[in-house]
Amino acid sequence: MEIRTTTQLANFLQFCIDKKSHTKGKLLHAHILRTGLFADTFLSNRLIELYHKCGNLIAAHRVFDKMPHRNLFSWHAMLSAFCKTGDIDEAHKLFVKMPERNSVSWNTLISALVHNGSDQKALNLYHDMNQSGFLPTNFTLASVLSACGALKDLNSGCTSHAFATKIGLDKNIYVGNALLAMYAKCGHTYNTLKAFEDLPEVNEVSFTTMMGALGETDHIEDAFHMFQKMHRIGIKIDAISMSSILGVCARSGIHGLGQQFHGLIIRLGLEKDLHLSNSLLDMYAKYGDMDSAEMVFNNLLKVSVVSWNVMIGGYGQTFKIKKSIECMERMQRFGLEPDEVTYINMLTACLKSGNVETAHEIFDKMTSPSLSSWNALLSGYSQIGKHKETVKLFRNMQFCNVKGDRTTFAVVFSSCASLGLLKGGKQVHASSVKFHVDDDIYVASGLIGMYSKCEKINLAKCIFDGMNGQDQDIVCWNSMMVGLSLNNLDNEALMLFKNLLETEMIPTQFSYATVLSSCTKLSSLSHGRQIHARVIKHEIVNDVVVGSALIDMYSKCGDVNDARLVFDKMPKKNTITWNEMIHGYAQNGQGEKGVSLFKEMINNSCDNLKPDAITFIAVLTACSHSGLIDYGIKIFNSMFQEHGIEPLSDHYTCVIDLLGRDGRFDEVEGILGNMPCVNDPILWEVLLSCCRVHGNVKLAKRAAEELFRINPCNSTPYVLLANMYSSLGRWDDVRKIRELMVENKAVKNPGYSWVENKDGVREFNVDDKFRMVDKFDERYCLSG
């Protein structure tokens, strides 16, 4: 009879567990206590499970504490209860107390740690599990690989992959998909593709992961091909896979393609899925097509906070700040409270529109701004060039006892660098040490940039050299190369690039652009050619940034023909590319070709390019060097009239040089009377030089007086005016100029030249013997 009663009670309890019937379960609990059956471990375990399923963790814990006899299932039931309710600390305490454990015990806690974002703790526990001799299950490995991906810990991920292969779980679909996600999050597209190819079977999760990974790394066409393959082999397309491909569409910027996928969603009957609808909203918002986004939004059966946030962010991206504010007000009228993302989107929208006051009002309304909100405001200030406000906000953040993270410090270091604020930068550095984030590679790159721009390159070197080789990423190397180049240590920048090639890291487009800039500054054509060979080898020669840098290097090293070859072979060009080529012709005395290329650019409708301020500097220089005076004036007049570009001091300098070379000083004086940039020393130096050539003493004297006013210690105007007087035999005026030069303590620096030969680059002054700048030995060989 007792066995029958226990079985019946167990069945009744299971019914209550399935139905989550808390009240009936409590009645059964009372009956078990009254009949003296509580000592039955099986029934007590069912009671723990009942209370856990009904959300009464206190009652479950009370049952567990009063159990006279516990078995492994009792401990697992309580452990699972703590894990599923997110009480990780109590779960860990219980785990430590367990008299025995099996793989389920380890797997339950590891999975819970990953689910709650405690990825590093999960990896540490997994290590302990291996040390204890327990083999992981496919679920354990899937959780561990997920943690590796979240931490971008490629080494641990590769180790786990190797172990999965060793115990034969690498072909498991759960482990295989987790491997794909891990490599994707670590940015290793090749390994992601290899893991995908190695899977014996694939499902919708595999394809969705691949599409996301390819989209994130800008392999847009490959992502679309993956979707086509998924559809072709008959794998079901669900809302999640459609959401992933919409994300790729948003990154591609191809509006028509996104509309086609929208049509497919309707055809598959998936338009009612809220998550997918939010993805559609996000895609149209990122296109800047807020009309289509509004249409989707207005047809939503259910509107979530996420939906409102996407609309607020979309209006902010298109600088419709009033619409963003209206959205937030409507959201609140519908009974939905703004969350952290809402406020961050509003902050970003206000700052993008230059509405700093409204941004501050929104920030001040937040009762307890999170770190993400502080970072959003800091980043917004920094991006619109309000660097002083960025530093002040960081100081307020310290007063509020908010601990900054890697993003905080990277943004503040960038602002300190832009301000040349060395003292403030050092104080922020000290704060990063205090919060133990100074060794983060993201922060270290910011530090290197800050010290480099503040002309403390030795401190930047100390930061870089102090990092462990494994901790240095390509961003750190790039920051250090840029720092060396900024401080005119281009030989060292070349050497650092050589050291980079000896590591396992692959140089980026930015790496090549930086080292090509160093070759340009050194006028080292031989090293520039070696870099070009590497660019071809690594198949990034078509990159628009690298291509533009190559054109600049060849032009400034005097090989304009090779510059044009690079230009002609580039499949995609931007305004910078055209500017470099036009300027290259101007620098190398082929102004007519520069002007011809400018006309081609203006008439070129394929790339939809518009000339900018730099374009006009380049073409005006080309006109000046070719004697195309009238055409140059015509171009100058068309700047604002036809292209809406306000002339800057550099443009006025080009026009004065253009007219001055031809001796048309009446027109020059007309421009001088109307130009807004009277304090630009280069402009007056150009005018003075032209006056010297044509012997225009009156205008030369005016130009020199302006230069004396701007900077009395600059020796250039004294020397130019004195040379002009001496060529005319006016020796008394020469003496007066030299006396004035002594009186104003203007000292002329000696000129120098350098020449490159097989032994290196040699630098020499007019009164100095040869001295080696830096010897290029075999260490500087960049080919291979």
Side-chain angles (χ1 to χ4, degrees):
M1 183 68 188
E2 184 182 47
I3 295 173
R4 183 184 169 193
T5 304
T6 303
T7 304
Q8 286 176 339
L9 283 170
N11 290 336
F12 285 142
L13 281 170
Q14 189 61 51
F15 175 82
C16 292
I17 290 167
D18 295 338
K19 299 293 184 182
K20 295 185 181 179
S21 180
H22 188 247
T23 305
K24 290 178 181 177
K26 285 173 72 175
L27 290 172
L28 287 171
H29 187 181
H31 178 74
I32 289 168
L33 291 172
R34 191 170 61 249
T35 55
L37 293 173
F38 186 72
D40 188 291
T41 303
F42 181 74
L43 290 178
S44 297
N45 288 344
R46 293 271 77 76
L47 282 170
I48 293 170
E49 189 177 354
L50 166 75
Y51 286 125
H52 157 227
K53 284 286 176 70
C54 294
N56 192 345
L57 197 60
I58 295 172
H61 205 297
R62 193 180 295 123
V63 171
F64 180 79
D65 287 340
K66 291 182 178 180
M67 284 179 70
H69 309 292
R70 300 177 190 137
N71 60 13
L72 186 58
F73 187 85
S74 314
W75 289 90
H76 280 170
M78 201 63 233
L79 182 67
S80 179
F82 281 131
C83 288
K84 287 181 179 177
T85 53
D87 197 342
I88 300 300
D89 291 336
E90 286 299 320
H92 196 269
K93 288 176 186 176
L94 189 76
F95 181 82
V96 172
K97 291 177 183 177
M98 288 179 73
E100 61 173 317
R101 305 183 190 108
N102 62 12
S103 59
V104 176
S105 323
W106 292 93
N107 182 58
T108 301
L109 187 55
I110 289 170
S111 298
L113 286 167
V114 173
H115 183 73
N116 284 272
S118 301
D119 299 293
Q120 191 56 59
K121 289 181 179 178
L123 287 186
N124 295 341
L125 192 67
Y126 172 66
H127 178 73
D128 294 340
M129 176 185 178
N130 289 336
Q131 295 283 21
S132 301
F134 288 95
L135 284 176
T137 65
N138 55 340
F139 299 109
T140 315
L141 281 169
S143 296
V144 168
L145 289 165
S146 176
C148 294
L151 294 168
K152 293 183 170 54
D153 187 347
L154 183 62
N155 288 335
S156 297
C158 289
T159 303
S160 300
H161 187 179
F163 193 68
T165 305
K166 181 180 177 182
I167 61 176
L169 285 176
D170 57 317
K171 306 299 182 185
N172 179 273
I173 189 67
Y174 296 106
V175 177
N177 286 338
L179 274 170
L180 295 180
M182 183 274 293
Y183 283 124
K185 287 176 182 176
C186 290
H188 280 249
T189 309
Y190 174 78
N191 286 345
T192 310
L193 285 165
K194 187 72 172 64
F196 181 80
E197 290 168 0
D198 288 345
L199 281 175
E201 60 174 313
V202 289
N203 59 12
E204 64 274 14
V205 177
S206 317
F207 278 98
T208 301
T209 304
M210 281 305 305
M211 287 186 290
L214 291 166
E216 284 293 323
T217 52
D218 291 329
H219 291 78
I220 306 297
E221 288 187 16
D222 292 331
F224 289 137
H225 289 153
M226 193 63 67
F227 182 83
Q228 290 171 345
K229 182 178 179 181
M230 177 184 179
H231 185 59
R232 191 169 58 250
I233 64 177
I235 290 180
K236 182 184 176 183
I237 297 171
D238 58 9
I240 297 173
S241 55
M242 282 304 308
S243 181
S244 179
I245 200 65
L246 288 177
V248 177
C249 289
R251 291 180 70 89
S252 74
I254 306 172
H255 188 275
L257 198 57
Q259 288 179 319
Q260 289 180 34
F261 279 108
H262 188 176
L264 180 60
I265 288 167
I266 295 170
R267 198 175 80 197
L268 294 172
L270 298 172
E271 70 273 18
K272 293 180 181 179
D273 184 274
L274 181 59
H275 175 71
L276 184 55
S277 296
N278 287 337
S279 296
L280 263 175
L281 279 178
D282 184 60
M283 178 191 74
Y284 282 124
K286 282 181 175 150
Y287 284 152
D289 183 1
M290 292 309 295
D291 291 336
S292 296
E294 283 179 4
M295 181 190 70
V296 174
F297 183 81
N298 293 332
N299 287 322
L300 288 177
L301 298 176
K302 182 181 178 183
V303 180
S304 67
V305 175
V306 175
S307 314
W308 287 102
N309 287 345
V310 172
M311 293 301 289
I312 290 167
Y315 285 128
Q317 292 288 336
T318 52
F319 303 98
K320 296 176 181 177
I321 183 63
K322 288 184 179 178
K323 283 274 195 179
S324 291
I325 295 170
E326 284 174 14
C327 256
M328 193 166 82
E329 290 172 349
R330 284 176 59 202
M331 172 184 176
Q332 290 171 306
R333 284 201 299 271
F334 279 97
L336 292 171
E337 283 302 311
D339 62 7
E340 185 182 344
V341 177
T342 315
Y343 284 115
I344 290 173
N345 283 353
M346 282 300 304
L347 287 172
T348 306
C350 292
L351 290 166
K352 279 204 168 198
S353 302
N355 196 334
V356 180
E357 290 181 6
T358 307
H360 246 302
E361 285 175 14
I362 292 167
F363 185 76
D364 292 338
K365 285 179 183 176
M366 299 171 72
T367 52
S368 181
S370 67
L371 178 59
S372 297
S373 303
W374 284 96
N375 285 346
L377 197 57
L378 283 167
S379 299
Y381 274 138
S382 183
Q383 286 168 10
I384 62 175
K386 291 188 174 290
H387 300 296
K388 287 183 180 178
E389 287 81 354
T390 305
V391 176
K392 286 178 183 176
L393 187 66
F394 176 74
R395 186 174 60 187
N396 293 340
M397 190 175 170
Q398 303 301 294
F399 290 146
C400 294
N401 293 318
V402 178
K403 180 182 175 182
D405 64 0
R406 63 202 300 252
T407 303
T408 314
F409 287 102
V411 170
V412 179
F413 284 138
S414 175
S415 288
C416 289
S418 297
L419 294 168
L421 193 63
L422 179 61
K423 185 178 178 181
K426 285 184 174 181
Q427 291 173 353
V428 179
H429 186 180
S431 183
S432 72
V433 174
K434 177 184 175 183
F435 291 135
H436 307 293
V437 294
D438 59 306
D439 56 351
D440 180 272
I441 55 173
Y442 195 48
V443 175
S445 296
L447 271 170
I448 292 167
M450 186 270 292
Y451 282 126
S452 298
K453 288 180 181 176
C454 291
E455 299 180 359
K456 293 293 179 182
I457 191 65
N458 288 332
L459 289 175
K461 287 180 184 177
C462 286
I463 300 293
F464 182 79
D465 294 338
M467 296 177 71
N468 186 302
Q470 292 182 343
D471 294 334
Q472 293 168 338
D473 68 351
I474 192 62
V475 178
C476 287
W477 284 86
N478 288 346
S479 297
M480 194 65 245
M481 281 192 288
V482 169
L484 292 168
S485 183
L486 279 173
N487 287 269
N488 297 317
L489 297 171
D490 295 289
N491 290 327
E492 290 190 37
L494 273 171
M495 186 64 205
L496 190 66
F497 182 76
K498 168 65 170 61
N499 293 340
L500 170 64
L501 297 178
E502 293 172 355
T503 69
E504 294 181 357
M505 275 180 283
I506 299 172
T508 64
Q509 291 90 330
F510 190 73
S511 313
Y512 284 111
T514 302
V515 76
L516 282 167
S517 173
S518 291
C519 294
T520 303
K521 287 163 70 179
L522 290 167
S523 296
S524 181
L525 184 59
S526 60
H527 285 91
R529 291 190 189 282
Q530 290 180 42
I531 302 294
H532 190 179
R534 278 202 160 267
V535 164
I536 294 169
K537 180 180 177 181
H538 288 163
E539 298 180 349
I540 58 169
V541 70
N542 291 334
D543 180 82
V544 70
V545 175
V546 177
S548 300
L550 279 167
I551 292 166
D552 183 50
M553 183 274 296
Y554 279 121
S555 297
K556 286 180 179 170
C557 289
D559 192 346
V560 73
N561 292 329
D562 274 0
R564 184 60 193 255
L565 284 173
V566 173
F567 179 85
D568 289 338
K569 287 180 180 178
M570 288 177 67
K572 185 178 179 181
K573 306 176 183 71
N574 61 12
T575 303
I576 297 171
T577 316
W578 286 85
N579 291 351
E580 293 291 3
M581 196 63 248
I582 294 167
H583 199 233
Y585 278 130
Q587 288 173 317
N588 287 274
Q590 299 184 33
E592 295 91 346
K593 290 184 178 179
V595 170
S596 176
L597 194 64
F598 171 75
K599 291 178 182 177
E600 186 181 334
M601 178 185 180
I602 297 295
N603 298 325
N604 185 359
S605 59
C606 298
D607 295 332
N608 197 25
L609 294 173
K610 293 182 179 179
D612 60 10
I614 307 297
T615 313
F616 285 99
I617 293 172
V619 72
L620 286 170
T621 303
C623 290
S624 179
H625 290 187
S626 305
L628 300 172
I629 315 300
D630 294 328
Y631 186 73
I633 298 299
K634 181 182 176 183
I635 289 175
F636 178 76
N637 291 332
S638 73
M639 279 183 65
F640 185 75
Q641 295 171 3
E642 296 180 20
H643 302 283
I645 298 172
E646 194 74 44
L648 304 173
S649 61
D650 288 338
H651 301 109
Y652 283 103
T653 302
C654 289
V655 171
I656 287 169
D657 181 53
L658 188 73
L659 294 169
R661 283 172 183 252
D662 201 40
R664 292 161 63 168
F665 292 110
D666 290 339
E667 294 173 66
V668 169
E669 291 191 60
I671 290 172
L672 294 176
N674 296 316
M675 70 179 188
C677 42
V678 294
N679 292 321
D680 183 357
I682 298 175
L683 184 149
W684 294 107
E685 284 180 13
V686 167
L687 176 59
L688 181 54
S689 181
C690 291
C691 290
R692 180 193 165 207
V693 172
H694 292 278
N696 190 329
V697 177
K698 180 184 174 183
L699 198 53
K701 190 175 180 182
R702 178 187 169 185
E705 286 171 352
E706 292 286 351
L707 287 165
F708 298 157
R709 175 184 62 81
I710 295 167
N711 183 7
C713 296
N714 180 15
S715 64
T716 303
Y718 300 96
V719 173
L720 286 172
L721 194 58
N723 288 343
M724 182 177 179
Y725 284 142
S726 65
S727 66
L728 297 171
R730 295 172 57 168
W731 302 110
D732 288 340
D733 289 325
V734 172
R735 178 177 49 79
K736 287 177 184 178
I737 291 295
R738 289 186 174 168
E739 286 173 356
L740 185 62
M741 188 174 179
V742 172
E743 182 184 331
N744 289 334
K745 298 179 181 178
V747 180
K748 182 180 183 299
N749 295 321
Y752 68 90
S753 300
W754 72 90
V755 62
E756 182 183 13
N757 59 24
K758 63 180 181 179
D759 295 320
V761 175
R762 293 178 180 268
E763 180 186 291
F764 59 91
N765 296 330
V766 291
D767 59 349
D768 194 11
K769 57 186 177 181
F770 281 107
R771 63 186 179 87
M772 286 297 294
V773 177
D774 214 337
K775 186 176 180 181
F776 286 111
D777 56 21
E778 65 278 358
R779 295 174 303 161
Y780 286 86
C781 183
L782 304 172
S783 60

